[in-house]
């Protein structure tokens, strides 16, 4: 298997470039330019910082030059985990996000997170482990072999995507640290940096969440083959809005469990508090397994809108599957549990 590493020099390109070349026919592209010109936005926008320009241009479907630059990653395909559903285009994956540290609107992270500094970074693995670990930015991409997996991703708000992630199994990372027998749970924590994350400074902008954003898993869930640590998507390092430089991905659970931009992983003997559960315990459980039969108190979970090339407006409504279609891999984790009680 190829060791993940950066291809130096030529690979540096703004995440932007892939987005448009990939999905936008040239004709649509140039008509957008005309609209922007006719509105006289061109000259005004030119004087604004890149990420603000991106926000303005995005109103027209996505033009502009975000400040954030990604790098191409080397990885091996894991053929065992390739959802056959049509992939959500890169341009949609990075423009429709939930990352309340940067605002609650779906485009807020794309606009507000572009200046986010991801290097240097430190991810600590501590608690009930034999060898506490510190991974710096470079180690995130080199400590473990990088692999690619295409997963379905289902938000509790009933939209979904299909995303090719790059990273490594969470179990591999935990094994490096040596999990002690007394460990029963894993707690995750996002960076707390109100200077960089406006949602952490402003309660309204941050959606009322008590920061830092925290999440957790039972140890057997964390050790399941599907539990993934992502450092990239498509063939690039993560952009800030997707949780750069490192996030968790749990495809059988609602999206809020897939915590972004993490700095701490702690092995514990007790169940840790989790952000959405603390905010509204009757609406968001600790387990949060995708389940079409257990509705959210305010909406049905029986179906979802799958975001494809046409974005949210053109998204097709499809049936939601138990455990998001991953029952074969994870159902055994919950044998004997009432999934209505443990939602
Ligand atoms: N730190 C942090 N992690 C987070 C969130 C957040 O607001 N803050 N939002 C969650 C929610 S609700 C979802 S649906 C997914 C969205 O991931 P995506 O934007 O990459 O699709 O991230 C999850 N992880
Ligand atoms: Mo979500």
């Amino acid at each position: 298997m190829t060791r993940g590493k950066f291809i130096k020099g030529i690979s540096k390109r703004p995440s932007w470039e892939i987005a448009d070349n990939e999905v936008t026919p040239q004709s649509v592209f140039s008509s957008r330019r005309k609209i922007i010109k006719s509105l006289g936005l061109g000259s005004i926008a030119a004087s604004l910082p890149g990420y603000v320009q991106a926000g303005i241009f995005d109103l027209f479907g996505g033009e502009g030059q975000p400040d954030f630059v990604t790098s191409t990653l080397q990885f091996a395909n894991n053929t065992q985990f390739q959802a056959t559903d049509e992939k959500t285009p890169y341009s949609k994956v990075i423009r429709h996000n939930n990352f309340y540290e940067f605002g609650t609107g779906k485009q807020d992270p794309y606009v507000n997170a572009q200046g986010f500094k991801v290097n240097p970074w430190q991810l600590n693995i501590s608690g009930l482990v034999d060898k506490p670990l510190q991974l710096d930015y470079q180690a995130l991409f080199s400590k473990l072999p990088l692999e690619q997996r295409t997963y379905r991703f289902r938000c509790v708000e009933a939209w979904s995507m299909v995303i090719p992630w790059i990273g490594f199994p969470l179990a591999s990372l935990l094994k490096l640290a040596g999990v002690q027998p007394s460990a029963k749970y894993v707690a995750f924590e996002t960076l707390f940096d109100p200077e960089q994350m406006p949602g952490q400074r402003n309660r309204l902008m941050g959606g009322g969440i008590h920061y830092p954003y925290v999440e957790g898993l039972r140890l057997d869930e964390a050790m399941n083959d599907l539990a993934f640590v992502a450092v990239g998507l498509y063939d690039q390092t993560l952009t800030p809005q997707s949780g750069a430089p490192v996030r968790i991905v749990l495809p059988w659970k609602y999206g809020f469990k897939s915590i972004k931009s993490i700095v701490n992983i702690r092995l514990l003997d007790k169940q840790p508090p989790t952000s959405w559960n603390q905010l509204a315990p009757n609406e968001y459980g600790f387990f949060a397994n995708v389940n079409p039969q257990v509705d959210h108190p305010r909406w049905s979970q029986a179906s979802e809108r799958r975001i494809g090339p046409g974005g949210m407006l053109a998204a097709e409504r499809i049936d939601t599957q138990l455990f998001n279609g991953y029952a074969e891999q994870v159902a055994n984790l919950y044998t004997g549990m009432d999934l209505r009680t443990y939602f």
Side-chain angles (χ1 to χ4, degrees):
M1 200 186 274
T2 1
R3 282 235 133 196
K5 63 166 196 269
F6 301 114
I7 304 165
K8 297 260 156 53
I10 47 152
S11 65
K12 290 266 178 189
R13 57 173 175 172
S15 55
W16 176 255
E17 259 176 52
I18 323 160
D20 269 329
N21 298 347
E22 210 173 63
V23 297
T24 312
Q26 199 54 46
S27 57
V28 180
F29 213 173
S30 50
S31 71
R32 261 191 226 141
R33 283 185 206 274
K34 275 180 209 143
I35 296 166
I36 291 162
K37 244 188 167 173
S38 72
L39 290 174
L41 280 173
S43 55
I44 303 165
S47 63
L48 298 170
Y51 62 92
V52 181
Q53 290 183 32
I56 291 170
F57 286 126
D58 204 56
L59 297 173
F60 302 94
E63 249 189 292
Q65 207 65 38
D67 292 342
F68 198 77
V69 172
T70 57
S71 307
T72 307
L73 292 169
Q74 285 187 348
F75 54 86
N77 283 317
N78 186 327
T79 53
Q80 232 194 309
F81 300 102
Q82 297 296 338
T84 52
D85 315 39
E86 189 188 349
K87 288 187 190 87
T88 303
Y90 185 81
S91 66
K92 301 299 173 207
V93 176
I94 64 160
R95 279 185 185 73
H96 176 105
N97 299 99
N98 276 332
F99 199 168
Y100 279 22
E101 284 86 338
F102 295 102
T104 56
K106 291 288 176 281
Q107 289 198 356
D108 289 349
Y110 173 77
V111 174
N112 296 329
Q114 294 310 319
F116 185 54
K117 285 187 189 59
V118 301
N119 186 7
W121 194 263
Q122 188 169 295
L123 171 60
N124 299 302
I125 297 101
S126 63
L128 301 169
V129 292
D130 297 331
K131 298 161 286 182
L133 287 180
Q134 292 85 41
L135 270 58
D136 65 11
Y137 184 79
Q138 202 57 41
L140 293 172
F141 304 93
S142 55
K143 192 91 181 163
L144 289 155
L146 297 186
E147 59 177 69
Q148 187 272 337
R149 300 175 172 202
T150 302
Y151 280 158
R152 288 178 290 277
F153 186 90
R154 169 59 155 87
C155 174
V156 75
E157 298 163 331
W159 53 264
S160 65
M161 295 192 184
V162 181
I163 304 176
W165 301 104
I166 301 166
F168 43 82
L170 177 59
S172 307
L173 181 62
L174 297 180
K175 280 173 194 161
L176 274 185
V179 178
Q180 296 182 348
S182 52
K184 300 284 179 277
Y185 291 90
V186 188
F188 306 94
E189 195 177 279
T190 295
L191 179 71
F192 184 71
D193 187 350
E195 275 187 27
Q196 289 204 78
M197 295 172 148
Q200 293 180 338
R201 297 195 296 266
N202 178 321
R203 217 169 146 70
L204 189 67
M205 190 174 177
I209 286 176
H210 181 75
Y211 292 103
Y213 193 103
V214 287
E215 258 306 332
L217 291 170
R218 230 170 43 195
L219 183 62
D220 59 345
E221 299 182 297
M223 288 301 195
N224 186 275
D225 271 353
L226 281 176
F228 201 57
V229 182
V231 295
L233 60 83
Y234 277 86
D235 65 344
Q236 302 286 306
T237 52
L238 294 174
T239 59
Q241 63 268 36
S242 297
V246 59
R247 71 174 297 174
I248 302 296
V249 181
L250 306 160
W252 74 99
K253 292 180 177 287
Y254 291 121
F256 66 85
K257 299 291 293 182
S258 292
I259 180 172
K260 296 176 168 181
S261 304
I262 54 170
V263 291
N264 278 305
I265 298 180
R266 291 194 190 88
L267 281 289
L268 307 171
D269 58 3
K270 285 189 187 66
Q271 185 177 307
T274 57
S275 286
W276 278 97
N277 179 249
Q278 281 183 313
L279 191 67
N282 59 320
E283 301 194 350
Y284 309 102
F286 174 80
F287 287 96
N289 293 316
V290 176
N291 191 334
Q293 277 141 35
V294 179
D295 287 339
H296 185 281
R298 291 182 281 131
W299 60 83
S300 164
Q301 294 292 25
S303 66
E304 66 202 52
R305 285 196 283 166
R306 173 61 57 83
I307 301 178
M312 192 60 165
L313 293 176
E316 200 191 334
R317 192 166 278 283
I318 58 171
D319 286 347
T320 290
Q321 304 176 73
L322 181 62
F323 300 116
N324 203 22
Y326 297 100
E328 205 182 304
Q329 287 92 347
V330 298
N332 65 312
L333 294 169
Y334 311 104
T335 341
M337 282 174 61
D338 181 346
L339 298 177
R340 263 170 211 287
T341 311
Y342 298 100
F343 61 94

